Amino acid sequence: MRNPTRRNKNIGTAKQGHGQNNALTLPRSGDKVYYEKLVDPVAETRTVNGHAFLFVTEKTKPEYQHACSVDDIIAVIAAILKEDYGDLRFIVLRQPKRKEEILSAVWGRFVPAYAFGKETAPAIILEAVNYKKPFKCSKKLSVEWKKEIDRLVADGHKVTDDGRNYIIHCDLNSVRNTQLYRTLPHEFGHYVHYCAHGREQWSNLPRAEKKAFAHAYAARVREGLARES
């Protein structure tokens, strides 16, 4: 029987191709991937629709803040079909390192096999954000990225144009809108898609196909939340 939490020991390493085109590389210590190395995390188990999730919150740096509270996240998870919870165990609120923001900046991510304490299980991670530091992206964008800029504007982010780049200015409310109502259900969609295909098959699917499924799943969750409000 396939073990969905079986870890790929090459994740995040040069053997998997990670970092080969970068002057900087993300660190790995033993079996731990960089996003598993938390500083002074606080863990609490909360039950949603009869399912026990372990919420792991890492302390933030002074200029950073988690946009979503545990209660915020529970309210969204409660609107998701219970059968989609599967074996998802961890919801992690983490503090990214500077090098990670340079090489791998994300709002959040789905991890099929996340190690915390003595457990290894599927996880969804949401990253803390520095609201004083705008981020930029080139105006030479793909069609998908141009759609993402429109989504960010709809979330409440202020987007300006310096001629070469789009500058995205964040605040607590706009990041909360993005992470709570788009990133969280999007990563949940990745998990549901992953469960339907299995680890190896899902990993080999085209990136565009995985993103399309997750976007559609997140849209359905948001529609359900809108109907309930």
Side-chain angles (χ1 to χ4, degrees):
M1 180 180 293
R2 180 185 64 84
N3 179 1
T5 65
R6 185 161 60 99
R7 289 166 63 75
N8 181 348
K9 299 303 182 183
N10 297 324
I11 291 174
T13 68
K15 190 173 182 180
Q16 198 188 42
H18 184 87
Q20 291 180 358
N21 296 320
N22 297 307
L24 298 172
T25 56
L26 296 176
R28 183 185 181 98
S29 175
D31 287 342
K32 279 190 174 292
V33 186
Y34 66 92
Y35 45 70
E36 294 173 332
K37 296 193 291 184
L38 307 179
V39 178
D40 297 328
V42 175
E44 60 174 317
T45 299
R46 300 284 293 272
T47 301
V48 186
N49 293 329
H51 183 96
F53 291 94
L54 187 67
F55 288 83
V56 182
T57 303
E58 185 176 18
K59 183 178 180 180
T60 58
K61 297 178 181 177
E63 64 271 26
Y64 288 75
Q65 189 174 349
H66 295 302
C68 306
S69 70
V70 171
D71 287 338
D72 287 336
I73 295 169
I74 286 174
V76 173
I77 293 176
I80 293 173
L81 292 175
K82 182 180 178 180
E83 51 264 39
D84 287 350
Y85 296 177
D87 295 323
L88 189 68
R89 171 65 169 152
F90 302 121
I91 306 294
V92 182
L93 303 177
R94 73 178 292 270
Q95 167 65 59
K97 309 299 186 293
R98 181 174 178 273
K99 187 184 293 187
E100 297 162 17
E101 292 183 308
I102 295 172
L103 297 181
S104 185
V106 294
W107 297 114
R109 69 180 82 236
F110 159 61
V111 180
Y114 188 91
F116 179 77
K118 296 181 179 180
E119 294 185 70
T120 298
I124 289 174
I125 302 172
L126 297 178
E127 306 269 81
V129 173
N130 181 351
Y131 302 99
K132 296 181 179 179
K133 183 179 179 182
F135 63 94
K136 64 176 64 177
C137 60
S138 172
K139 291 179 68 177
K140 297 178 181 179
L141 298 173
S142 65
V143 173
E144 181 56 36
W145 251 108
K146 289 178 180 177
K147 291 180 181 178
E148 179 61 17
I149 291 293
D150 291 338
R151 296 185 192 110
L152 291 173
V153 171
D155 290 340
H157 299 276
K158 181 182 178 182
V159 179
T160 58
D161 180 346
D162 71 357
R164 291 186 176 184
N165 302 290
Y166 290 113
I167 313 298
I168 295 92
H169 306 265
C170 304
D171 60 38
L172 185 65
N173 189 60
S174 65
V175 173
R176 182 178 182 273
N177 288 338
T178 296
Q179 291 188 322
L180 191 59
Y181 300 116
R182 287 205 296 115
T183 306
L184 177 61
H186 182 97
E187 303 309 326
F188 231 107
H190 278 317
Y191 174 64
V192 171
H193 203 204
Y194 166 85
C195 289
H197 288 82
R199 181 175 63 86
E200 292 187 10
Q201 184 180 354
W202 182 81
S203 297
N204 292 325
L205 290 175
R207 183 171 181 269
E209 181 178 337
K210 290 191 283 190
K211 287 182 71 67
F213 182 94
H215 278 314
Y217 185 92
R220 291 195 297 273
V221 172
R222 290 196 303 274
E223 289 169 2
L225 287 167
R227 286 194 299 269
E228 292 177 4
S229 62

